[in-house]
Amino acid sequence: LTAATTYYVYYQANCGGDTSEWAGPFIGTTLCTAIVPDYTADMSNNPADSCWEEADSGDPVTGPTDLGSGSWYSSNHNGTPSNAINLWQDYRSEWIISPVFDLSTSAPSELKVYVALTNSSTSGTGENMGSDDEVQLLMTNDGGANWARLQSWAQGTEPTEVGELITYDLTAETGTVQFAFWGSEGTVNDSEDVYFHVSGFTVRETPSGP
């Protein structure tokens, strides 16, 4: 069977030539296997593909909980497809979680993400994140037991409306890794109403040239 594929199964009993009616369909989806780079997510979908997940609770210490749904959604950043989260209330703690990547057989790798902050659902400048709003980019290399922070965005360190392309060196990682974006509004219900966009996500072998 092919990984990350939905199958529809029918069966029929055959008792010495007498056959039953067909039963089904019985629907099942095979599990995702670890991806060997290169890989680029389709951020026009939410989740970005069938091997991404969402969660609507948990924090970087506990890890994601309540998998299956969340408040990240399919949007666009100045016309570029993105996954976005609207930070405007005081109870959101939401995740989008990447597939697992196998870096053991590839050359040194890197992660490239493109992020932006807007004050409307697709564009707009002049806004800051709330006083305890935060978005973190996280990585686990032990199957989700622990999540390490690669970068955090908060009031005073927000990405711009134009956006930022950021590259993370994964040379030290030689096994399986997984990434997540966690967005939280903390406990303070500030007046700020902003949209954090992830409009690019690529894991690839590090180019040999400039």
Side-chain angles (χ1 to χ4, degrees), residues 37 102-112 139 141 150 167-177 179 203-208:
D102 182 359
L103 307 183
S104 63
T105 60
S106 61
S109 298
E110 63 184 16
L111 167 66
K112 300 176 75 72
M139 180 182 72
N141 57 12
L150 296 181
T167 301
Y168 303 90
D169 183 6
L170 303 178
T171 301
E173 303 300 328
T174 57
T176 57
V177 299
F179 304 96
V203 180
R204 66 175 189 175
E205 292 189 3
T206 305
S208 57

PDB file of all heavy atoms in Angstrom, residues 37 102-112 139 141 150 167-177 179 203-208:
ATOM      1  N   PRO A  37      14.145  14.747   2.293  1.00  0.00           N
ATOM      2  CA  PRO A  37      14.150  15.992   1.501  1.00  0.00           C
ATOM      3  C   PRO A  37      14.669  15.741   0.090  1.00  0.00           C
ATOM      4  O   PRO A  37      15.449  14.816  -0.128  1.00  0.00           O
ATOM      5  CB  PRO A  37      15.108  16.893   2.288  1.00  0.00           C
ATOM      6  CG  PRO A  37      15.115  16.314   3.678  1.00  0.00           C
ATOM      7  CD  PRO A  37      14.935  14.844   3.507  1.00  0.00           C
ATOM      8  N   ASP A 102      13.116  12.514   7.452  1.00  0.00           N
ATOM      9  CA  ASP A 102      14.246  11.626   7.697  1.00  0.00           C
ATOM     10  C   ASP A 102      15.496  12.263   7.106  1.00  0.00           C
ATOM     11  O   ASP A 102      15.653  12.330   5.884  1.00  0.00           O
ATOM     12  CB  ASP A 102      13.978  10.255   7.060  1.00  0.00           C
ATOM     13  CG  ASP A 102      15.094   9.256   7.320  1.00  0.00           C
ATOM     14  OD1 ASP A 102      16.087   9.623   7.981  1.00  0.00           O
ATOM     15  OD2 ASP A 102      14.965   8.111   6.858  1.00  0.00           O
ATOM     16  N   LEU A 103      16.374  12.738   7.964  1.00  0.00           N
ATOM     17  CA  LEU A 103      17.607  13.397   7.515  1.00  0.00           C
ATOM     18  C   LEU A 103      18.814  12.480   7.585  1.00  0.00           C
ATOM     19  O   LEU A 103      19.939  12.916   7.374  1.00  0.00           O
ATOM     20  CB  LEU A 103      17.865  14.646   8.374  1.00  0.00           C
ATOM     21  CG  LEU A 103      16.715  15.654   8.469  1.00  0.00           C
ATOM     22  CD1 LEU A 103      17.148  16.867   9.284  1.00  0.00           C
ATOM     23  CD2 LEU A 103      16.226  16.081   7.092  1.00  0.00           C
ATOM     24  N   SER A 104      18.588  11.196   7.855  1.00  0.00           N
ATOM     25  CA  SER A 104      19.706  10.280   8.081  1.00  0.00           C
ATOM     26  C   SER A 104      20.411   9.877   6.800  1.00  0.00           C
ATOM     27  O   SER A 104      21.580   9.482   6.840  1.00  0.00           O
ATOM     28  CB  SER A 104      19.216   9.025   8.807  1.00  0.00           C
ATOM     29  OG  SER A 104      18.280   8.307   8.004  1.00  0.00           O
ATOM     30  N   THR A 105      19.732   9.937   5.672  1.00  0.00           N
ATOM     31  CA  THR A 105      20.341   9.477   4.420  1.00  0.00           C
ATOM     32  C   THR A 105      20.612  10.609   3.443  1.00  0.00           C
ATOM     33  O   THR A 105      21.075  10.368   2.334  1.00  0.00           O
ATOM     34  CB  THR A 105      19.431   8.444   3.733  1.00  0.00           C
ATOM     35  OG1 THR A 105      18.165   9.044   3.436  1.00  0.00           O
ATOM     36  CG2 THR A 105      19.218   7.236   4.631  1.00  0.00           C
ATOM     37  N   SER A 106      20.298  11.832   3.833  1.00  0.00           N
ATOM     38  CA  SER A 106      20.500  12.960   2.926  1.00  0.00           C
ATOM     39  C   SER A 106      21.724  13.754   3.331  1.00  0.00           C
ATOM     40  O   SER A 106      22.278  13.590   4.425  1.00  0.00           O
ATOM     41  CB  SER A 106      19.267  13.874   2.930  1.00  0.00           C
ATOM     42  OG  SER A 106      19.044  14.392   4.221  1.00  0.00           O
ATOM     43  N   ALA A 107      22.150  14.622   2.432  1.00  0.00           N
ATOM     44  CA  ALA A 107      23.248  15.536   2.741  1.00  0.00           C
ATOM     45  C   ALA A 107      22.768  16.536   3.793  1.00  0.00           C
ATOM     46  O   ALA A 107      21.586  16.580   4.121  1.00  0.00           O
ATOM     47  CB  ALA A 107      23.672  16.255   1.467  1.00  0.00           C
ATOM     48  N   PRO A 108      23.663  17.346   4.367  1.00  0.00           N
ATOM     49  CA  PRO A 108      23.224  18.372   5.316  1.00  0.00           C
ATOM     50  C   PRO A 108      22.035  19.164   4.764  1.00  0.00           C
ATOM     51  O   PRO A 108      22.008  19.529   3.589  1.00  0.00           O
ATOM     52  CB  PRO A 108      24.469  19.255   5.472  1.00  0.00           C
ATOM     53  CG  PRO A 108      25.606  18.322   5.233  1.00  0.00           C
ATOM     54  CD  PRO A 108      25.115  17.378   4.178  1.00  0.00           C
ATOM     55  N   SER A 109      21.069  19.403   5.617  1.00  0.00           N
ATOM     56  CA  SER A 109      19.799  19.978   5.174  1.00  0.00           C
ATOM     57  C   SER A 109      19.539  21.318   5.840  1.00  0.00           C
ATOM     58  O   SER A 109      20.221  21.716   6.798  1.00  0.00           O
ATOM     59  CB  SER A 109      18.650  19.012   5.484  1.00  0.00           C
ATOM     60  OG  SER A 109      18.817  17.791   4.798  1.00  0.00           O
ATOM     61  N   GLU A 110      18.515  22.021   5.341  1.00  0.00           N
ATOM     62  CA  GLU A 110      18.102  23.283   5.915  1.00  0.00           C
ATOM     63  C   GLU A 110      16.587  23.415   5.823  1.00  0.00           C
ATOM     64  O   GLU A 110      15.945  22.782   4.976  1.00  0.00           O
ATOM     65  CB  GLU A 110      18.771  24.460   5.195  1.00  0.00           C
ATOM     66  CG  GLU A 110      18.399  24.587   3.726  1.00  0.00           C
ATOM     67  CD  GLU A 110      19.158  25.697   3.007  1.00  0.00           C
ATOM     68  OE1 GLU A 110      20.178  26.181   3.539  1.00  0.00           O
ATOM     69  OE2 GLU A 110      18.714  26.086   1.897  1.00  0.00           O
ATOM     70  N   LEU A 111      16.035  24.217   6.712  1.00  0.00           N
ATOM     71  CA  LEU A 111      14.621  24.560   6.698  1.00  0.00           C
ATOM     72  C   LEU A 111      14.493  26.015   6.316  1.00  0.00           C
ATOM     73  O   LEU A 111      15.174  26.879   6.877  1.00  0.00           O
ATOM     74  CB  LEU A 111      14.010  24.332   8.086  1.00  0.00           C
ATOM     75  CG  LEU A 111      12.611  24.920   8.329  1.00  0.00           C
ATOM     76  CD1 LEU A 111      11.562  24.227   7.461  1.00  0.00           C
ATOM     77  CD2 LEU A 111      12.237  24.830   9.807  1.00  0.00           C
ATOM     78  N   LYS A 112      13.608  26.306   5.355  1.00  0.00           N
ATOM     79  CA  LYS A 112      13.351  27.682   4.948  1.00  0.00           C
ATOM     80  C   LYS A 112      11.873  27.967   5.160  1.00  0.00           C
ATOM     81  O   LYS A 112      11.014  27.210   4.688  1.00  0.00           O
ATOM     82  CB  LYS A 112      13.724  27.908   3.481  1.00  0.00           C
ATOM     83  CG  LYS A 112      15.188  27.650   3.162  1.00  0.00           C
ATOM     84  CD  LYS A 112      15.494  27.798   1.683  1.00  0.00           C
ATOM     85  CE  LYS A 112      15.532  29.246   1.259  1.00  0.00           C
ATOM     86  NZ  LYS A 112      16.718  29.955   1.767  1.00  0.00           N
ATOM     87  N   MET A 139      10.795  22.455  16.923  1.00  0.00           N
ATOM     88  CA  MET A 139      11.284  21.233  16.294  1.00  0.00           C
ATOM     89  C   MET A 139      11.418  20.155  17.355  1.00  0.00           C
ATOM     90  O   MET A 139      11.832  20.427  18.487  1.00  0.00           O
ATOM     91  CB  MET A 139      12.649  21.463  15.628  1.00  0.00           C
ATOM     92  CG  MET A 139      13.221  20.232  14.941  1.00  0.00           C
ATOM     93  SD  MET A 139      14.869  20.520  14.223  1.00  0.00           S
ATOM     94  CE  MET A 139      15.867  20.608  15.713  1.00  0.00           C
ATOM     95  N   ASN A 141      13.133  16.173  17.792  1.00  0.00           N
ATOM     96  CA  ASN A 141      13.918  15.087  17.198  1.00  0.00           C
ATOM     97  C   ASN A 141      13.811  13.816  18.030  1.00  0.00           C
ATOM     98  O   ASN A 141      14.625  12.902  17.878  1.00  0.00           O
ATOM     99  CB  ASN A 141      15.384  15.497  17.009  1.00  0.00           C
ATOM    100  CG  ASN A 141      16.052  15.925  18.294  1.00  0.00           C
ATOM    101  OD1 ASN A 141      15.524  15.718  19.387  1.00  0.00           O
ATOM    102  ND2 ASN A 141      17.226  16.530  18.172  1.00  0.00           N
ATOM    103  N   LEU A 150      12.989  27.033  17.745  1.00  0.00           N
ATOM    104  CA  LEU A 150      13.914  27.572  16.749  1.00  0.00           C
ATOM    105  C   LEU A 150      13.831  29.087  16.693  1.00  0.00           C
ATOM    106  O   LEU A 150      14.841  29.765  16.465  1.00  0.00           O
ATOM    107  CB  LEU A 150      13.616  26.985  15.370  1.00  0.00           C
ATOM    108  CG  LEU A 150      13.814  25.483  15.207  1.00  0.00           C
ATOM    109  CD1 LEU A 150      13.499  25.065  13.778  1.00  0.00           C
ATOM    110  CD2 LEU A 150      15.229  25.064  15.576  1.00  0.00           C
ATOM    111  N   THR A 167      16.174  31.094   7.114  1.00  0.00           N
ATOM    112  CA  THR A 167      16.780  29.788   6.877  1.00  0.00           C
ATOM    113  C   THR A 167      17.375  29.265   8.172  1.00  0.00           C
ATOM    114  O   THR A 167      18.074  29.988   8.890  1.00  0.00           O
ATOM    115  CB  THR A 167      17.881  29.888   5.809  1.00  0.00           C
ATOM    116  OG1 THR A 167      17.311  30.378   4.587  1.00  0.00           O
ATOM    117  CG2 THR A 167      18.505  28.516   5.542  1.00  0.00           C
ATOM    118  N   TYR A 168      17.089  27.999   8.482  1.00  0.00           N
ATOM    119  CA  TYR A 168      17.612  27.348   9.680  1.00  0.00           C
ATOM    120  C   TYR A 168      18.504  26.187   9.253  1.00  0.00           C
ATOM    121  O   TYR A 168      18.084  25.332   8.472  1.00  0.00           O
ATOM    122  CB  TYR A 168      16.459  26.837  10.552  1.00  0.00           C
ATOM    123  CG  TYR A 168      15.495  27.921  10.955  1.00  0.00           C
ATOM    124  CD1 TYR A 168      14.393  28.204  10.158  1.00  0.00           C
ATOM    125  CD2 TYR A 168      15.693  28.662  12.113  1.00  0.00           C
ATOM    126  CE1 TYR A 168      13.503  29.208  10.513  1.00  0.00           C
ATOM    127  CE2 TYR A 168      14.805  29.668  12.472  1.00  0.00           C
ATOM    128  CZ  TYR A 168      13.714  29.938  11.666  1.00  0.00           C
ATOM    129  OH  TYR A 168      12.838  30.933  12.007  1.00  0.00           O
ATOM    130  N   ASP A 169      19.699  26.162   9.786  1.00  0.00           N
ATOM    131  CA  ASP A 169      20.682  25.125   9.463  1.00  0.00           C
ATOM    132  C   ASP A 169      20.344  23.849  10.232  1.00  0.00           C
ATOM    133  O   ASP A 169      20.272  23.848  11.461  1.00  0.00           O
ATOM    134  CB  ASP A 169      22.074  25.626   9.832  1.00  0.00           C
ATOM    135  CG  ASP A 169      23.179  24.644   9.458  1.00  0.00           C
ATOM    136  OD1 ASP A 169      22.877  23.617   8.814  1.00  0.00           O
ATOM    137  OD2 ASP A 169      24.344  24.910   9.815  1.00  0.00           O
ATOM    138  N   LEU A 170      20.130  22.753   9.519  1.00  0.00           N
ATOM    139  CA  LEU A 170      19.806  21.470  10.137  1.00  0.00           C
ATOM    140  C   LEU A 170      20.969  20.487  10.068  1.00  0.00           C
ATOM    141  O   LEU A 170      20.784  19.280  10.222  1.00  0.00           O
ATOM    142  CB  LEU A 170      18.573  20.861   9.463  1.00  0.00           C
ATOM    143  CG  LEU A 170      17.296  21.708   9.460  1.00  0.00           C
ATOM    144  CD1 LEU A 170      16.184  20.982   8.708  1.00  0.00           C
ATOM    145  CD2 LEU A 170      16.855  22.047  10.879  1.00  0.00           C
ATOM    146  N   THR A 171      22.176  20.991   9.837  1.00  0.00           N
ATOM    147  CA  THR A 171      23.341  20.130   9.673  1.00  0.00           C
ATOM    148  C   THR A 171      23.530  19.188  10.863  1.00  0.00           C
ATOM    149  O   THR A 171      23.933  18.027  10.700  1.00  0.00           O
ATOM    150  CB  THR A 171      24.606  20.980   9.478  1.00  0.00           C
ATOM    151  OG1 THR A 171      24.441  21.806   8.325  1.00  0.00           O
ATOM    152  CG2 THR A 171      25.834  20.108   9.302  1.00  0.00           C
ATOM    153  N   ALA A 172      23.223  19.651  12.061  1.00  0.00           N
ATOM    154  CA  ALA A 172      23.443  18.834  13.262  1.00  0.00           C
ATOM    155  C   ALA A 172      22.421  17.720  13.419  1.00  0.00           C
ATOM    156  O   ALA A 172      22.609  16.821  14.250  1.00  0.00           O
ATOM    157  CB  ALA A 172      23.418  19.728  14.498  1.00  0.00           C
ATOM    158  N   GLU A 173      21.346  17.770  12.640  1.00  0.00           N
ATOM    159  CA  GLU A 173      20.284  16.770  12.768  1.00  0.00           C
ATOM    160  C   GLU A 173      20.546  15.630  11.785  1.00  0.00           C
ATOM    161  O   GLU A 173      20.621  15.849  10.577  1.00  0.00           O
ATOM    162  CB  GLU A 173      18.918  17.397  12.493  1.00  0.00           C
ATOM    163  CG  GLU A 173      18.584  18.578  13.387  1.00  0.00           C
ATOM    164  CD  GLU A 173      18.568  18.211  14.854  1.00  0.00           C
ATOM    165  OE1 GLU A 173      18.218  17.060  15.184  1.00  0.00           O
ATOM    166  OE2 GLU A 173      18.909  19.081  15.680  1.00  0.00           O
ATOM    167  N   THR A 174      20.679  14.416  12.312  1.00  0.00           N
ATOM    168  CA  THR A 174      21.023  13.268  11.467  1.00  0.00           C
ATOM    169  C   THR A 174      20.018  12.130  11.595  1.00  0.00           C
ATOM    170  O   THR A 174      20.271  11.021  11.139  1.00  0.00           O
ATOM    171  CB  THR A 174      22.432  12.752  11.817  1.00  0.00           C
ATOM    172  OG1 THR A 174      22.467  12.412  13.209  1.00  0.00           O
ATOM    173  CG2 THR A 174      23.484  13.809  11.510  1.00  0.00           C
ATOM    174  N   GLY A 175      18.894  12.409  12.214  1.00  0.00           N
ATOM    175  CA  GLY A 175      17.845  11.391  12.347  1.00  0.00           C
ATOM    176  C   GLY A 175      16.530  11.905  11.815  1.00  0.00           C
ATOM    177  O   GLY A 175      16.480  12.550  10.772  1.00  0.00           O
ATOM    178  N   THR A 176      15.444  11.631  12.527  1.00  0.00           N
ATOM    179  CA  THR A 176      14.132  12.113  12.118  1.00  0.00           C
ATOM    180  C   THR A 176      13.776  13.355  12.927  1.00  0.00           C
ATOM    181  O   THR A 176      14.049  13.433  14.136  1.00  0.00           O
ATOM    182  CB  THR A 176      13.049  11.041  12.309  1.00  0.00           C
ATOM    183  OG1 THR A 176      13.028  10.619  13.678  1.00  0.00           O
ATOM    184  CG2 THR A 176      13.308   9.854  11.402  1.00  0.00           C
ATOM    185  N   VAL A 177      13.169  14.322  12.259  1.00  0.00           N
ATOM    186  CA  VAL A 177      12.758  15.571  12.903  1.00  0.00           C
ATOM    187  C   VAL A 177      11.351  15.932  12.437  1.00  0.00           C
ATOM    188  O   VAL A 177      10.888  15.475  11.383  1.00  0.00           O
ATOM    189  CB  VAL A 177      13.721  16.733  12.595  1.00  0.00           C
ATOM    190  CG1 VAL A 177      15.124  16.435  13.112  1.00  0.00           C
ATOM    191  CG2 VAL A 177      13.749  17.043  11.104  1.00  0.00           C
ATOM    192  N   PHE A 179       8.492  19.508  12.669  1.00  0.00           N
ATOM    193  CA  PHE A 179       8.399  20.926  12.994  1.00  0.00           C
ATOM    194  C   PHE A 179       6.955  21.297  13.300  1.00  0.00           C
ATOM    195  O   PHE A 179       6.012  20.597  12.909  1.00  0.00           O
ATOM    196  CB  PHE A 179       8.914  21.776  11.824  1.00  0.00           C
ATOM    197  CG  PHE A 179      10.318  21.426  11.405  1.00  0.00           C
ATOM    198  CD1 PHE A 179      10.539  20.552  10.354  1.00  0.00           C
ATOM    199  CD2 PHE A 179      11.405  21.953  12.078  1.00  0.00           C
ATOM    200  CE1 PHE A 179      11.831  20.212   9.970  1.00  0.00           C
ATOM    201  CE2 PHE A 179      12.696  21.616  11.708  1.00  0.00           C
ATOM    202  CZ  PHE A 179      12.909  20.749  10.650  1.00  0.00           C
ATOM    203  N   VAL A 203      11.916  22.039   3.333  1.00  0.00           N
ATOM    204  CA  VAL A 203      13.068  21.318   3.883  1.00  0.00           C
ATOM    205  C   VAL A 203      13.831  20.756   2.690  1.00  0.00           C
ATOM    206  O   VAL A 203      13.247  20.043   1.859  1.00  0.00           O
ATOM    207  CB  VAL A 203      12.630  20.181   4.823  1.00  0.00           C
ATOM    208  CG1 VAL A 203      13.856  19.449   5.376  1.00  0.00           C
ATOM    209  CG2 VAL A 203      11.783  20.726   5.973  1.00  0.00           C
ATOM    210  N   ARG A 204      15.100  21.086   2.587  1.00  0.00           N
ATOM    211  CA  ARG A 204      15.866  20.663   1.409  1.00  0.00           C
ATOM    212  C   ARG A 204      17.317  20.418   1.784  1.00  0.00           C
ATOM    213  O   ARG A 204      17.793  20.858   2.839  1.00  0.00           O
ATOM    214  CB  ARG A 204      15.800  21.731   0.334  1.00  0.00           C
ATOM    215  CG  ARG A 204      16.483  23.040   0.702  1.00  0.00           C
ATOM    216  CD  ARG A 204      16.494  24.016  -0.449  1.00  0.00           C
ATOM    217  NE  ARG A 204      17.325  25.186  -0.156  1.00  0.00           N
ATOM    218  CZ  ARG A 204      17.584  26.156  -1.047  1.00  0.00           C
ATOM    219  NH1 ARG A 204      17.075  26.090  -2.265  1.00  0.00           N
ATOM    220  NH2 ARG A 204      18.357  27.176  -0.717  1.00  0.00           N
ATOM    221  N   GLU A 205      18.000  19.677   0.909  1.00  0.00           N
ATOM    222  CA  GLU A 205      19.446  19.560   1.067  1.00  0.00           C
ATOM    223  C   GLU A 205      20.078  20.920   0.871  1.00  0.00           C
ATOM    224  O   GLU A 205      19.688  21.676  -0.023  1.00  0.00           O
ATOM    225  CB  GLU A 205      20.002  18.549   0.051  1.00  0.00           C
ATOM    226  CG  GLU A 205      19.575  17.114   0.329  1.00  0.00           C
ATOM    227  CD  GLU A 205      20.300  16.117  -0.558  1.00  0.00           C
ATOM    228  OE1 GLU A 205      21.172  16.548  -1.355  1.00  0.00           O
ATOM    229  OE2 GLU A 205      20.033  14.912  -0.435  1.00  0.00           O
ATOM    230  N   THR A 206      21.037  21.238   1.697  1.00  0.00           N
ATOM    231  CA  THR A 206      21.673  22.541   1.621  1.00  0.00           C
ATOM    232  C   THR A 206      22.440  22.686   0.297  1.00  0.00           C
ATOM    233  O   THR A 206      23.254  21.817  -0.031  1.00  0.00           O
ATOM    234  CB  THR A 206      22.666  22.735   2.782  1.00  0.00           C
ATOM    235  OG1 THR A 206      21.960  22.509   4.005  1.00  0.00           O
ATOM    236  CG2 THR A 206      23.260  24.114   2.777  1.00  0.00           C
ATOM    237  N   PRO A 207      22.138  23.719  -0.482  1.00  0.00           N
ATOM    238  CA  PRO A 207      22.834  23.879  -1.762  1.00  0.00           C
ATOM    239  C   PRO A 207      24.342  24.022  -1.569  1.00  0.00           C
ATOM    240  O   PRO A 207      24.812  24.586  -0.579  1.00  0.00           O
ATOM    241  CB  PRO A 207      22.237  25.179  -2.328  1.00  0.00           C
ATOM    242  CG  PRO A 207      20.939  25.354  -1.616  1.00  0.00           C
ATOM    243  CD  PRO A 207      21.153  24.778  -0.243  1.00  0.00           C
ATOM    244  N   SER A 208      25.078  23.511  -2.515  1.00  0.00           N
ATOM    245  CA  SER A 208      26.538  23.586  -2.419  1.00  0.00           C
ATOM    246  C   SER A 208      27.072  24.954  -2.833  1.00  0.00           C
ATOM    247  O   SER A 208      28.150  25.361  -2.412  1.00  0.00           O
ATOM    248  CB  SER A 208      27.189  22.510  -3.305  1.00  0.00           C
ATOM    249  OG  SER A 208      26.752  22.659  -4.648  1.00  0.00           O
TER     250      SER A 208
END
